[in-house]
Amino acid sequence: MADVHASIGAEENDEMTFRQGVRDCIPTLLGYISIGIAAGVVGVAAGLSALEVVLLAVLVYAGSAQFIFAALVLDGSPAAAIILTTFIVNLRHFLMSATMAPHFTQYSVWKNIGFGVLLTDETFGVASGKVQQKRGLTSSWMNGLNVTAYICWIISCAVGALFGNWISDPEAFGLDFALTSMFIALLVLQLDAIESVKIKHYIRLILCIVILMVGFSFFVSSHMAVLLATILGATIGVVTEK
Amino acid sequence: MNVSLSMLLLIAACAAVTILPRVLPFLIIRNLKLPMLALRWLSYIPICILTALVVSNVLGENGPLSFDWQVIAIMIPTILFALWTKSLLFTVIIGVVLMAALRFFIG
């Protein structure tokens, strides 16, 4: 992408540069690296070739989906089941993209396609945190964030696939908790940016989501539960706000 | 290091169903002025989805009402640390270190 550094005119925020996007991505990299390596190891263990693992990272670019893909291939599941499961697992990104999209309507179609293709839980978390802090999002900043995450993910998956046999169990080092602690920190940062009069409303909403998640876990997979609890939770949020 | 045609097609199909929900909202909303109510609804999505993702990491894999107590135990100091430092990077590092320490001492 030659125009990654291009200035976007009046809307451009001085501090929200490509370089700042790269910098804002750094805290999430530990999560990408540990999970990417694990995804690579699991892929090869399931009988995929290293090249297939890298193709998955490049084209699908979704941790949980890549794990499930490997597990289903190992099970010998039919292709239709694998495709449908991948779709459901990643459907939450529809909500994230819809949340991000209104901030980028001034940019070209191709740039918007780029933002969408490279959207992940982590980049969404970082970007929505900036929105909460009332920082205007720019195309350059978003590209810096997205491209750094994407490259790091592909390299991590490749390392896992190629050198998986020599890497000892990452869980022993607590690395699997990197993702959870990152979601926790992103959530706390979101709450921190909310005006104090509204904070009770949000705490109540969070309790609602916890109850909804536990409730839904009786009936549907955790991925569907995330989707349903989020849709219902946002609706409750709008209906109960003053 | 090879890719069979059937695997290539399968990966391509999975890529398509992943990219579609990621890209469609960007294309639709670009040509659409969303009503205030929709924007307010969307403003709740980050907190709702992050909470749901945290909870999904706490819920165990052994059916409903099973919990990952290791995660819950480390979650509490991690939340306090996040509130204190307001730093994404330090919170991630401390979370990983605490989890590694817990597993070292109980395992």
Side-chain angles (χ1 to χ4, degrees):
Chain A
M1 288 177 89
D3 59 347
V4 149
H5 290 279
S7 163
I8 324 288
E11 292 291 325
E12 183 85 349
N13 181 331
D14 286 343
E15 293 167 354
M16 295 294 275
T17 57
F18 185 87
R19 188 187 287 257
Q20 185 59 41
V22 174
R23 226 176 277 140
D24 286 331
C25 192
I26 290 171
T28 67
L29 292 185
L30 196 57
Y32 282 108
I33 292 168
S34 59
I35 292 158
I37 289 175
V41 172
V42 168
V44 172
L48 302 176
S49 73
L51 195 57
E52 286 165 347
V53 167
V54 172
L55 262 180
L56 267 178
V58 170
L59 295 177
V60 177
Y61 184 38
S64 43
Q66 286 175 227
F67 279 109
I68 290 167
F69 184 96
L72 291 178
V73 166
L74 190 63
D75 278 352
S77 303
I82 297 176
I83 296 165
L84 183 66
T85 310
T86 306
F87 177 68
I88 291 169
V89 167
N90 287 329
L91 207 50
R92 66 180 182 284
H93 291 145
F94 185 87
L95 293 173
M96 298 185 185
S97 282
T99 311
M100 282 294 109
H103 300 280
F104 294 102
T105 48
Q106 80 264 40
Y107 296 113
S108 70
V109 171
W110 285 109
K111 280 188 173 156
N112 273 276
I113 290 175
F115 301 143
V117 169
L118 294 185
L119 180 128
T120 64
D121 297 344
E122 294 87 337
T123 53
F124 168 77
V126 173
S128 61
K130 290 279 173 192
V131 172
Q132 195 67 261
Q133 293 162 19
K134 307 273 186 283
R135 302 286 298 275
L137 298 179
T138 66
S139 167
S140 331
W141 179 84
M142 200 65 190
N143 284 327
L145 177 74
N146 283 342
V147 170
T148 310
Y150 187 49
I151 291 171
C152 181
W153 177 253
I154 294 168
I155 292 174
S156 305
C157 287
V159 167
L162 293 172
F163 306 108
N165 297 336
W166 290 285
I167 298 166
S168 58
D169 179 17
E171 283 203 12
F173 301 105
L175 282 173
D176 55 313
F177 194 67
L179 196 68
T180 312
S181 53
M182 187 186 65
F183 289 143
I184 290 171
L186 288 170
L187 186 59
V188 167
L189 292 175
Q190 285 272 342
L191 289 174
D192 187 51
I194 287 170
E195 305 100 284
S196 49
V197 285
K198 288 188 185 163
I199 201 84
K200 268 191 189 158
H201 178 228
Y202 277 89
I203 300 284
R204 273 197 289 266
L205 191 55
I206 286 176
L207 290 175
C208 269
I209 306 267
V210 173
I211 293 165
L212 285 172
M213 281 296 293
V214 173
F216 281 132
S217 73
F218 282 89
F219 308 105
V220 294
S221 71
S222 67
H223 303 285
M224 275 311 274
V226 167
L227 208 62
L228 295 174
T230 303
I231 292 172
L232 253 170
T235 310
I236 293 170
V238 171
V239 172
T240 58
E241 78 182 1
K242 288 173 193 91
Chain B
M1 284 278 267
N2 58 342
V3 182
S4 66
L5 181 65
S6 61
M7 185 57 78
L8 185 66
L9 289 174
L10 183 58
I11 293 174
C14 286
V17 297
T18 303
I19 288 170
L20 216 62
R22 281 178 180 172
V23 168
L24 269 184
F26 277 97
L27 296 182
I28 298 169
I29 289 171
R30 234 184 135 264
N31 304 307
L32 194 79
K33 189 122 182 67
L34 285 182
M36 214 32 223
L37 188 66
L39 288 172
R40 264 176 37 215
W41 188 80
L42 288 173
S43 76
Y44 283 100
I45 295 292
I47 290 203
C48 292
I49 211 160
L50 286 169
T51 307
L53 287 169
V54 170
V55 177
S56 79
N57 281 312
V58 169
L59 293 175
E61 279 155 13
N62 308 315
L65 290 183
S66 70
F67 299 96
D68 189 330
W69 292 105
Q70 282 191 352
V71 170
I72 291 175
I74 301 303
M75 230 176 98
I76 296 159
T78 306
I79 291 172
L80 294 176
F81 194 82
L83 283 168
W84 179 43
T85 61
K86 309 270 160 58
S87 158
L88 183 54
L89 183 62
F90 288 131
T91 306
V92 170
I93 291 172
I94 207 76
V96 167
V97 169
L98 287 174
M99 185 55 94
L102 179 74
R103 292 203 180 123
F104 180 78
F105 286 115
I106 66 169

